Amino acid sequence: MSFLSVTNVTVRYGRLTALRHANFKMAAGETLFVTGPNGAGKSTLLKAIAGVVTPVEGQIQLAGQVISGTVPEDIARRGFSMVPEGRHVFGTLTIEENLRLGAGMRADKDAVAADLAGCYEVFPMLRERRDAPAAVLSGGQQQMLVIARALMTGPQLIAIDEPSLGLAPKIIDQVYDVLLRLRDERGLTLLIVEQSSTRALLTGGRMLLMRSGEIVMEGDARELLRGDALKQAYFG
Amino acid sequence: MTAILQIVFDALSLGSIYALGALGIALIFGVMRLVNFAHGDYISFCVFAMLVPSTDAMSEMFLGSLPTIVLIPVILLIGAGVSVLSEIIVFRRLRDANPATMMIASFALGFILKHFLLMLFSSRPKSINLWPDLGLPVEILGARLPLLQLIAIGITIIILVALSAFLKRTRFGLEMRAAAENFTMARMLGVKANQVILIAFAISGMLAASIGLILAAQTGTSDIQMGVSVMLVAFIATVIGGLGSLAGAVVAGYLIGAASVLMQVILPLEARPFRDAFVYAAVIACLIWRPQGLFAPKSAKQRV
Amino acid sequence: MNAHRSVLARTVSTPAVLILVLLAIALIAKLSGSSPFERTVTELFIRIVLVVGLYIFIGNSGVMSFGHVGFMCLGAYGTAWLTIPPAMKKFALTGLPDFILQHQAPIALSLVLSPLLAAVFALLIGRILMRLAGIAASIATFAMLAVINTVYSNWETVTGATSSVVGIPMKTGVWLSFGGALFAVIVAYGYGISRYGLALRSARDEAIAAAASGVDIERQRLIAFVISAFVIGIAGVLYAHFLGVVNPDAFYLSLTFISLAMLVVGGMNSLSGAVIGVVAISAVIEILRTLEKGIPIGEATLAIPNGVQEIAIGIAMIVILIFRPSGLMRNRELRWSRWPFERASENK
């Protein structure tokens, strides 16, 4: 059974249709890349799943339950963690407060402490500055923080919008190392939006190609990237 | 020296009321970008709740006759209640509306509350006899100060400390601060929007109730206008402090209190009646100089 | 299909319809011969001047203003200074300049000069205020109102402080106030279709795009601010000559609330909304006032408690904000053809 299923979802902003009849499914533990040019509706797709925008049509199910039409906090509580584009750290909160906020809805307090320790192990830089306000972190560090914070919610599915945007290649490698390790260790399901699709070549997984609000192609990431299909989607 | 001390204490006690008011407004603005014009009427509501509803000139204590230890929590609860109810009945339904619409709705709500009170109590100011013993002066460093003034200052400090501990140390406080900074992101981390907003309204209402208690005790009268005049200044303090900044609101509240008292002293005799005009003009000047307020957090910047 | 007709030809039916409606109301009032009804209608027209003035600024700029009633205060006191007979002025308002103290201006002259005072004040303070945007701007207009109120409530020798200034000739009747409403509607309409109005609305809807296409938002807002101050100044003059007395607190929060309520209920982005809002709320106010006075049923009188009127208006406003935020008119204009169902092209 699929873990996440998006059926015929349409999102409109006023008169503009940002997402048109989107359909796809994800199995638990799977990695799915969503790629496509600017304005293709990638971020809207994630926002629709997260409950930040409400689809005018269609249905979204997470672990067998309908989540479309519910509020973001309930979706988050069902194991969906979203890292939106643009590094939304809480700048006036300390780094540790940011992380604890992520864990706020969890009942397993012991596991939270263990996860926090785990986070600091993966990102030692966060431990060093844990009592500093998050606003002082550099862009790359903030990206680390938001991913760590999303992981603190104890998610089953994590969706990340443009994790490598504006980061140095070395940092991007680090971010992906962490994500893939968690995928392998915990069976985390990964939904990654990336405009630069080359990363998918290294990590593998499935890929969705979007253009003008529609999913135009779906397939194995490596195969898609090898062929001309991608180019056509961008320029055709 | 004693004269200066007197000024300092006057400024602090006036500033305390403004600071509490500004805090109540900033708290709500922080979590839902609502400029709540009804806040002043919450204050009046709490004051009038101490009296028996009647349109006679004579006033009779109602809740006000309760022993202090019961009266204070009851009035705080009334403040929290009216504030929370206004969220549930009105503001919740306008959550996706633009700030101007919410502002007008709160204006309308305040108007309703005010006329509800007018209906029950008429527009005549009434005397309210709350803790008369506290009006006695005490002598500090040669200055004779009303005990009540000192208590008001002290209580405000206690409230500020308690509130900041709540915000810093508790789960709800953390969620509230996060929600004030980026509401959507907080929700995506599982922070329950309705819960945070309700708590903010409850605290804001309790702050209004404390102002009501302090004002009633200080002035000995209940006047339908008393809440509104505090609210106007508190508003302005919130804007000057940088909308969304709680600390800024408090500091600006004290600044305006100090400015008012100072102008009362400095201005030539014939200009004193216009003191408030100078204060408001200073506010406009301040806004021009720093439209985002003196201590604006980054998150409060308005998108063009 | 009307794309090639001029803006004027396409839109002129809106003020025409509005004026005809107002004219009909004026005629009914006159023909009724009932003096209380005439007064009600006169008050209605004065409110229309005020709310249409508000609309000129708020509707076109999208900036909420809580201070415009201050201009009404300026206009009302301006006409008090000019038109109270010298014998009375010398006694009550000793601080006025000698020239004003010794002369009495006709209302016609005051109807120009007093609103001009409001407009000049708006020009001066607007140069500062219009730099602000959003909530800061709204709060600053509030501060402006508070400054005006404080000054007029305390300037003993010039405004009589909080005591009412009496002796203003009571000249405002149905026709004079109708004239005011006529003027306000025409000015608002003319401004709306002028390039200034168009530029300001474009800045309201798409600030960045408008600025990029060379719209000086500050300047455009200032123009609307000054025009609206002039129109509201007229409302002040008419009101002063309607009541015969002025008092600073008549131009404070209550009136601000009622005027905003009317604008919001009608729909703040359309001229028709402003006018219809006034008519609708005024009608409700009148009905409730009558009920408050009591309706005799046989021996007994059935009356609702005093204050229900204001509470009902407040509730109506909230209900409209929640369920119909674009107001009764849904931001459309009344039109000749197929009105009111046709959507105004410039008020999307």
Side-chain angles (χ1 to χ4, degrees):
Chain A
M1 201 187 78
S2 53
F3 184 61
L4 174 74
S5 79
V6 172
T7 317
N8 202 26
V9 168
T10 299
V11 175
R12 288 204 191 95
Y13 299 123
R15 267 179 285 172
L16 178 86
T17 304
L19 192 65
R20 193 175 291 120
H21 304 303
N23 275 296
F24 73 93
K25 288 187 186 341
M26 280 182 83
E30 191 188 9
T31 304
L32 179 70
F33 282 89
V34 179
T35 191
N38 261 335
K42 304 180 299 271
S43 298
T44 304
L45 177 63
L46 290 199
K47 283 183 189 162
I49 302 172
V52 177
V53 296
T54 312
V56 288
E57 200 184 325
Q59 198 185 58
I60 303 170
Q61 290 193 348
L62 183 71
Q65 283 175 301
V66 179
I67 56 166
S68 41
T70 59
V71 290
E73 53 264 43
D74 288 345
I75 296 172
R77 280 158 192 269
R78 287 191 187 156
F80 176 84
S81 192
M82 159 100 156
V83 181
E85 188 187 342
R87 301 182 198 118
H88 296 285
V89 299
F90 297 103
T92 58
L93 273 56
T94 67
I95 288 162
E96 179 143 333
E97 283 175 337
N98 267 277
L99 293 173
R100 286 197 175 279
L101 189 73
M105 60 191 176
R106 291 167 63 179
D108 46 343
K109 296 297 167 205
D110 297 343
V112 170
D115 278 1
L116 191 61
C119 264
Y120 284 146
E121 208 166 298
V122 178
F123 305 105
M125 156 283 301
L126 293 181
R127 176 173 25 216
E128 278 164 37
R129 315 182 67 175
R130 64 183 176 197
D131 290 324
V136 304
L137 296 177
S138 71
Q141 292 168 331
Q142 292 194 358
Q143 186 69 301
M144 300 277 188
L145 176 59
V146 290
I147 291 173
R149 189 179 62 193
L151 293 171
M152 286 298 294
T153 63
Q156 291 163 287
L157 193 165
I158 181 165
I160 310 188
D161 201 352
E162 302 278 0
S164 50
L165 193 71
L167 296 187
K170 213 180 106 193
I171 313 261
I172 301 176
D173 288 343
Q174 256 179 308
V175 169
Y176 271 95
D177 279 349
V178 172
L179 288 175
L180 295 178
R181 180 148 37 108
L182 286 164
R183 177 189 66 179
D184 298 338
E185 282 173 9
R186 296 192 195 172
L188 196 63
T189 312
L190 288 178
L191 175 56
I192 301 175
V193 166
E194 279 280 24
Q195 204 179 332
S196 73
S197 46
T198 46
R199 181 59 55 175
L201 266 181
L202 304 170
T203 49
R206 264 193 323 137
M207 183 177 261
L208 293 182
L209 207 67
M210 295 190 68
R211 216 182 114 203
S212 324
E214 286 179 71
I215 297 175
V216 291
M217 207 166 281
E218 184 178 349
D220 182 77
R222 293 196 175 105
E223 268 171 35
L224 276 183
L225 289 168
R226 236 173 265 133
D228 284 342
L230 199 60
K231 253 181 234 155
Q232 286 198 345
Y234 268 87
F235 304 110
Chain B
M1 181 59 205
T2 51
I4 292 174
L5 204 66
Q6 184 67 57
I7 292 170
V8 168
F9 275 95
D10 281 348
L12 278 177
S13 72
L14 188 61
S16 293
I17 288 170
Y18 293 160
L20 290 178
L23 199 54
I25 289 167
L27 213 52
I28 300 298
F29 183 84
V31 290
M32 63 185 295
R33 297 291 176 268
L34 159 69
V35 178
N36 189 3
F37 275 93
H39 196 76
D41 300 288
Y42 299 164
I43 299 176
S44 310
F45 193 89
C46 290
V47 172
F48 279 95
M50 288 186 267
L51 298 176
V52 174
S54 98
T55 48
D56 300 341
M58 278 301 293
S59 63
E60 200 180 323
M61 296 299 256
F62 175 49
L63 291 177
S65 56
L66 291 169
T68 306
I69 195 90
V70 185
L71 174 69
I72 292 177
V74 166
I75 296 295
L76 289 180
L77 272 181
I78 288 177
V82 64
S83 174
V84 161
L85 276 181
S86 56
E87 145 68 6
I88 293 174
I89 297 172
V90 178
F91 300 126
R92 181 166 294 182
R93 290 160 217 284
L94 286 165
R95 207 158 295 159
D96 296 327
N98 65 36
T101 305
M102 288 202 288
M103 195 147 68
I104 299 175
S106 72
F107 203 40
L109 181 69
F111 193 76
I112 293 172
L113 276 177
K114 182 176 140 184
H115 282 277
F116 177 66
L117 292 178
L118 277 175
M119 212 161 98
L120 294 182
F121 295 95
S122 87
S123 61
R124 252 185 302 223
K126 296 179 177 197
S127 72
I128 189 164
N129 195 11
L130 195 63
W131 308 316
D133 303 345
L134 300 184
L136 302 173
V138 286
E139 214 156 302
I140 291 184
L141 301 173
R144 283 168 69 79
L145 304 164
L147 183 58
L148 194 68
Q149 203 176 37
L150 299 180
I151 292 178
I153 296 169
I155 285 181
T156 305
I157 292 170
I158 292 170
I159 292 175
L160 293 179
V161 170
L163 190 62
S164 104
F166 169 80
L167 288 172
K168 284 246 157 62
R169 305 256 174 265
T170 69
R171 175 88 227 144
F172 288 134
L174 177 63
E175 291 187 347
M176 210 172 279
R177 280 184 295 145
E181 201 172 316
N182 186 338
F183 202 78
T184 308
M185 188 63 237
R187 294 183 79 182
M188 285 195 278
L189 290 166
V191 171
K192 288 183 177 166
N194 285 342
Q195 198 179 355
V196 167
I197 288 175
L198 275 183
I199 293 173
F201 268 97
I203 297 176
S204 174
M206 286 197 262
L207 288 168
S210 359
I211 297 174
L213 283 170
I214 294 175
L215 278 182
Q218 269 181 355
T219 60
T221 50
S222 58
D223 180 350
I224 210 95
Q225 299 297 341
M226 66 202 292
V228 173
S229 51
V230 172
M231 178 200 67
L232 283 184
V233 178
F235 251 140
I236 282 165
T238 334
V239 177
I240 295 216
L243 273 165
S245 161
L246 298 183
V250 171
V251 174
Y254 278 107
L255 275 180
I256 296 183
S260 302
V261 171
L262 270 183
M263 281 193 193
Q264 185 72 28
V265 177
I266 295 170
L267 286 179
L269 208 57
E270 60 272 26
R272 270 184 209 171
F274 303 104
R275 182 194 76 180
D276 288 351
F278 285 95
V279 175
Y280 289 119
V283 163
I284 295 177
C286 202
L287 280 177
I288 299 305
W289 175 48
R290 293 203 55 170
Q292 303 298 340
L294 300 179
F295 318 96
K298 268 190 191 144
S299 60
K301 283 217 175 95
Q302 282 195 347
R303 286 170 290 260
V304 186
Chain C
M1 71 180 186
N2 292 335
H4 296 294
R5 289 162 63 195
S6 72
V7 178
L8 188 75
R10 267 187 293 126
T11 57
V12 77
S13 65
T14 298
V17 170
L18 292 176
I19 289 166
L20 283 177
V21 170
L22 297 183
L23 185 63
I25 295 175
L27 285 173
I28 292 170
K30 270 294 169 195
L31 291 176
S32 78
S34 144
S35 143
F37 187 56
E38 277 188 26
R39 282 184 70 80
T40 303
V41 169
T42 305
E43 216 178 336
L44 171 89
F45 286 146
I46 296 172
R47 288 190 189 128
I48 286 178
V49 181
L50 167 63
V51 176
V52 166
L54 262 182
Y55 158 76
I56 293 174
F57 181 72
I58 297 177
N60 289 298
S61 74
V63 176
M64 190 46 61
S65 165
F66 293 100
H68 270 72
V69 164
F71 299 131
M72 196 165 167
C73 183
L74 261 53
Y77 275 87
T79 203
W81 295 332
L82 291 176
T83 61
I84 293 178
M88 294 175 78
K89 274 196 276 198
K90 270 179 207 150
F91 182 65
L93 306 171
T94 51
L96 286 174
D98 278 348
F99 181 77
I100 294 181
L101 272 183
Q102 283 155 12
H103 294 82
Q104 181 181 19
I107 292 181
L109 182 62
S110 176
L111 264 171
V112 177
L113 290 182
S114 305
L116 208 56
L117 172 73
V120 169
F121 181 79
L123 180 66
L124 296 177
I125 196 158
R127 291 186 77 93
I128 305 171
L129 290 189
M130 294 305 114
R131 288 188 213 161
L132 296 168
I135 290 171
S138 303
I139 298 286
T141 56
F142 219 119
M144 178 189 89
L145 178 64
V147 169
I148 293 174
N149 185 263
T150 312
V151 170
Y152 278 70
S153 302
N154 290 289
W155 204 353
E156 193 74 53
T157 56
V158 175
T159 66
T162 46
S163 48
S164 299
V165 174
V166 295
I168 306 166
M170 289 171 68
K171 292 282 176 59
T172 306
V174 170
W175 290 118
L176 184 58
S177 59
F178 170 74
L182 186 76
F183 178 79
V185 167
I186 291 173
V187 167
Y189 168 71
Y191 171 76
I193 61 165
S194 73
R195 62 193 166 98
Y196 305 108
L198 205 62
L200 188 57
R201 281 200 303 280
S202 73
R204 174 194 77 191
D205 296 334
E206 292 292 339
I208 297 171
S213 13
V215 174
D216 181 346
I217 299 180
E218 245 179 76
R219 183 162 168 268
Q220 295 303 336
R221 279 192 189 147
L222 183 61
I223 293 171
F225 196 64
V226 172
I227 295 176
S228 69
F230 187 86
V231 171
I232 291 177
I234 293 176
V237 175
L238 294 175
Y239 197 54
H241 291 290
F242 173 64
L243 292 180
V245 293
V246 287
N247 181 299
D249 281 338
F251 309 100
Y252 206 35
L253 297 178
S254 286
L255 189 60
T256 301
F257 172 78
I258 288 289
S259 56
L260 280 177
M262 289 170 170
L263 186 58
V264 166
V265 166
M268 51 184 152
N269 288 346
S270 86
L271 175 58
S272 314
V275 176
I276 297 299
V278 178
V279 176
I281 296 260
S282 298
V284 174
I285 289 179
E286 279 317 309
I287 291 168
L288 291 169
R289 262 188 204 165
T290 317
L291 289 179
E292 278 177 1
K293 274 184 213 135
I295 301 170
I297 299 174
E299 295 279 295
T301 318
L302 188 72
I304 55 173
N306 276 322
V308 169
Q309 180 211 127
E310 284 85 358
I311 293 175
I313 303 251
I315 292 173
M317 192 167 165
I318 289 178
V319 168
I320 293 238
L321 283 172
I322 292 174
F323 296 105
R324 202 158 165 173
S326 51
L328 292 177
M329 286 303 299
R330 294 193 189 267
N331 293 340
R332 294 172 208 187
E333 296 291 1
L334 291 172
R335 284 291 165 74
W336 209 225
S337 53
R338 286 167 51 214
W339 68 279
F341 306 104
E342 195 175 58
R343 210 183 167 112
S345 54
E346 71 275 14
N347 277 310
K348 280 188 285 230

